[in-house]
Amino acid sequence: MVDPVIASRLQFALTTIVHIIFPVMSMGLAPFLVYFTWKEIRGGDAVYEQLRRFWTKIFAISFVVGTVTGIVLEFEFGTNFAAFSTFAGELFGGPLATEGMMAFMLEATFLGVFVFGRERVSDRLYFVSSLAVAAGTWLSAVWILIANSWMQLPRGYELAEKGGQTVVHLTDPVAAYLNPRFMFMYVHMQNAAVESVALFMAGVAAYHIFKHYVWGYPVQEVDFWETTLKIALVALLITAPLQVLHGDMYARHVNETQPQKFAAMEAVWETDSYVPEYLIAFPTSMEDLTNPRAKELFGLGIPGGASWLASGGDPQATIRGLNSFETEAPPVAIVFWSFRAMVGLGFWFILLAFWGGYRWWRGELLEDDLLHKALMASSLLGILAVELGWVVTEVGRQPWVVQGVLKTADGVSPGLTGAEATLTLVAFALVYTTLLALYSYVVARIIRAGPPGAEELRTRTVESEAPQGVPGDD
């Protein structure tokens, strides 16, 4: 049987890694759907109604599966991390409860109108429903990230005794809920969601365009996919550079507030200045692979790059090394490589965005088959980058569950046995893998089916606008 602490951490990591896919899809799609609805109501091209109907299907299935997988995460605080829930419940429970009562209910209520009400409500109310769904989706992230940012940078609390246990007592809600980490996390996450969906949309559209223009297969509604690709490229041209620029500021903030995490991100063991930014690095001996404090690295790096990143422009700046901290180091290899992979993907997305924008400007967007292949191969890489970012955020904080206050091992349910934790870990792995497979199958079917045809939409519009008969008429 696996140790209950390790099994609980693995279970929570597994459920989070799968769950986060669905909020990324729904949060990323939300602004696109508002735009499509606005263009459709303003009397734009019929393609915007096709766009709105098609992508709403994927939004709805993402919302449903995200709700199911997300609720389970909150139960895990009680089953696997009861000590943490007792310790931080006064502060942690408020944002999670508010997320359910405010954001989820707003989104769920208006989602029914948005999905089923186009022919049943006025244009104004229908547009309001799109705004409400988008607001509910983005408000959910507000409250979740308020809770997580407090765990990263706890503020506005004091430790108190209650029932013989040490617990967190909230003293300043504004300081706790709007701590300096929150805005960094929120902007980075929401921009990443839009960027990920833009990549997904571009990859799907590129596949159909490539199939039509290169392979010669007849693709119905090819204009729909051309418009999708152009809209996705516009979003990518905005979000990809912003993500890298904001990530640079975020990294400096991490160095100032969580220097141990930053040292793990850069694999710095000894406090030093003019620290290189390693693009790639390996231990010089096999024994060092399992030694979190290994110092001897072989790598290729930019001299002074890590110091420059930590300080915002000074290559001579000093970075505090992992060996200077009293607590154990995080799993350095995981944090180090996840950070590099995430940053590398970020720069690849910028290249893709400007490559596509240049081809569009030259009038060659539909003929560049190499670009289409690159977009297809990158369609899911945005979600991968989000996953890597969360690995850096959560694994880099270890051994703390509340930074500097409560260790992860002390937050696990005290009565949980290795057998129970292992059993639920295996069960959750099977269930969540199945859910992810079913979600992927349904989304793939929606994509293969394509958008509703323009003729079908015209017929549906005529039928909805036709006068209804009065009961009793012949």
Side-chain angles (χ1 to χ4, degrees), residues 10-93:
L10 288 174
Q11 180 178 314
F12 200 86
L14 169 70
T15 49
T16 303
I17 284 171
V18 175
H19 166 70
I20 202 172
I21 295 171
F22 314 118
V24 166
M25 291 298 294
S26 57
M27 291 187 303
L29 277 170
F32 288 101
L33 293 179
V34 171
Y35 174 70
F36 297 154
T37 304
W38 177 72
K39 290 289 288 184
E40 176 190 349
I41 289 174
R42 287 288 300 269
D45 194 289
V47 72
Y48 290 104
E49 182 178 358
Q50 292 177 290
L51 286 163
R52 193 258 309 162
R53 289 184 181 274
F54 178 81
W55 292 106
T56 295
K57 294 178 184 178
I58 296 178
F59 178 93
I61 189 66
S62 300
F63 171 79
V64 170
V65 182
T67 300
V68 172
T69 55
I71 289 175
V72 174
L73 282 170
E74 298 190 11
F75 281 109
E76 287 186 62
F77 288 121
T79 57
N80 293 76
F81 294 94
F84 165 75
S85 299
T86 301
F87 176 80
E90 181 174 325
L91 193 141
F92 203 75

Side-chain angles (χ1 to χ4, degrees), residues 341-353:
M342 178 187 66
V343 172
L345 287 173
F347 282 103
W348 168 243
F349 300 154
I350 291 178
L351 175 62
L352 270 181

Side-chain angles (χ1 to χ4, degrees), residues 255-268:
N255 180 57
E256 294 168 1
T257 57
Q258 290 179 299
Q260 189 177 28
K261 178 189 289 187
F262 187 85
M265 289 160 52
E266 298 296 342
V268 178

Side-chain angles (χ1 to χ4, degrees), residues 307-370:
S307 294
W308 186 90
L309 177 64
S311 63
D314 181 10
Q316 298 293 338
T318 299
I319 297 179
R320 185 178 175 185
L322 290 166
N323 286 338
S324 67
F325 295 92
E326 295 181 0
T327 56
E328 62 187 281
V332 175
I334 296 175
V335 180
F336 178 84
W337 282 110
S338 296
F339 180 67
R340 262 134 201 83
M342 178 187 66
V343 172
L345 287 173
F347 282 103
W348 168 243
F349 300 154
I350 291 178
L351 175 62
L352 270 181
F354 283 96
W355 182 4
Y358 174 73
R359 288 302 191 186
W360 187 1
W361 177 68
R362 290 287 302 270
E364 301 168 345
L365 180 61
L366 305 180
E367 290 78 30
D368 191 341
D369 58 332
L370 184 59

Side-chain angles (χ1 to χ4, degrees), residues 154-288:
R155 295 285 190 277
Y157 75 98
E158 64 181 12
L159 297 180
E161 291 292 324
K162 184 176 181 180
Q165 292 182 304
T166 302
V167 298
V168 168
H169 175 60
L170 183 62
T171 58
D172 186 347
V174 174
Y177 293 161
L178 297 180
N179 67 77
R181 178 59 56 85
F182 166 70
M183 284 307 299
F184 281 101
M185 296 187 76
Y186 188 74
V187 173
H188 210 61
M189 181 66 206
Q190 300 310 97
N191 191 75
V194 177
E195 182 182 20
S196 298
V197 167
L199 284 162
F200 181 73
M201 293 173 69
V204 171
Y207 166 73
H208 287 279
I209 292 171
F210 183 84
K211 187 168 66 171
H212 181 76
Y213 287 107
V214 179
W215 287 346
Y217 284 89
V219 174
Q220 299 296 323
E221 307 295 337
V222 70
D223 291 344
F224 170 90
W225 298 113
E226 293 174 8
T227 304
T228 299
L229 177 58
K230 292 174 181 178
I231 291 173
L233 281 176
V234 170
L236 201 57
L237 281 165
I238 297 171
T239 56
L242 177 60
Q243 192 71 356
V244 171
L245 292 173
H246 184 265
D248 175 66
M249 295 186 290
Y250 191 178
R252 292 199 298 273
H253 174 73
V254 169
N255 180 57
E256 294 168 1
T257 57
Q258 290 179 299
Q260 189 177 28
K261 178 189 289 187
F262 187 85
M265 289 160 52
E266 298 296 342
V268 178
W269 280 270
E270 302 294 340
T271 301
D272 201 359
S273 58
Y274 199 62
V275 179
E277 174 66 27
Y278 282 110
L279 305 178
I280 185 170
F282 298 96
T284 54
S285 68
M286 293 303 296
E287 290 81 4
D288 290 342

Side-chain angles (χ1 to χ4, degrees), residues 104-125:
F104 175 77
M105 293 307 297
L106 175 66
E107 183 180 6
T109 300
F110 281 92
L111 183 61
V113 178
F114 186 68
V115 174
F116 302 110
R118 183 66 186 98
E119 287 82 23
R120 295 176 174 84
V121 299
S122 66
D123 286 351
R124 179 174 296 180
L125 178 55

